[in-house]
Amino acid sequence: MLFYPAALPLSAQTLTYAAGVIRRHRKKIGSCWRKLSPGRQALLVLAHLRTGETFAALAAGFGVGTATAWRYVQETVALLAARAPKLDAVLGTANKAGHAFVVIDGTLIPIDRVAADRPFYSGKHRKHGLNLQVIASSQGRSCGSPGPCPGPCTT
């Protein structure tokens, strides 16, 4: 297998934020040792989310097993999703800002799932994915985004 250096079009603040979330989680659960540091785990996850690299390619590049790469991605995505504001909080913020109405729009972000896992299957798109929805004001400014939900989500 050949390796090459690559660049991600993300800011250092994004990496620092994700690494901080991972670091606090590890301290909370008392995790004393992991193969990758919180910063490297965050970089692995951001590379997967931004470029769609396979777990096998990420595992080879970061020197971990494929299952470990998968677990790191699952853990970090769950931690970041838990920090997303809930729908009622976003709508309350929009109401306080004086918006008469808001626009809710979403997109399906494809994910790797086996056919047996139906909860994340979107019949409309005929593929597995997470439904990411954004709430925007009438001027097009984002008011927030409730966390991702399974493909057939209708919130």
Side-chain angles (χ1 to χ4, degrees):
M1 181 174 283
L2 299 174
F3 299 96
Y4 65 95
L8 287 177
L10 297 170
S11 67
Q13 291 173 328
T14 303
L15 179 64
T16 303
Y17 177 79
V21 169
I22 295 166
R23 190 174 293 108
R24 285 187 294 278
H25 174 70
R26 286 184 183 182
K27 186 174 182 179
K28 180 181 173 185
I29 64 171
S31 178
C32 55
W33 183 85
R34 299 266 182 113
K35 180 77 173 177
L36 296 181
S37 68
R40 297 286 291 166
Q41 179 178 342
L43 185 59
L44 180 145
V45 173
L46 292 173
H48 174 70
L49 294 175
R50 186 68 178 166
T51 64
E53 288 286 343
T54 64
F55 294 119
L58 289 169
F62 282 87
V64 296
T66 305
T68 303
W70 180 84
R71 278 194 312 271
Y72 281 165
V73 170
Q74 297 301 311
E75 177 185 47
T76 306
V77 168
L79 289 171
L80 293 174
R83 298 182 64 84
K86 303 300 177 222
L87 180 60
D88 56 347
V90 173
L91 292 176
T93 303
N95 188 24
K96 286 179 187 173
H99 298 300
F101 65 92
V102 293
V103 178
I104 300 177
D105 194 10
T107 186
L108 187 82
I109 299 174
I111 60 172
D112 295 330
R113 301 292 282 191
V114 293
D117 292 337
R118 300 302 288 182
F120 293 94
Y121 185 77
S122 171
K124 176 181 176 183
H125 299 284
R126 293 194 164 94
K127 60 177 128 178
H128 292 85
L130 291 175
N131 188 345
L132 183 64
Q133 298 191 356
V134 175
I135 300 172
S137 68
S138 58
Q139 293 82 24
R141 293 189 187 101
S142 175
C143 296
S145 174
C149 54
C153 181
T154 57
T155 55

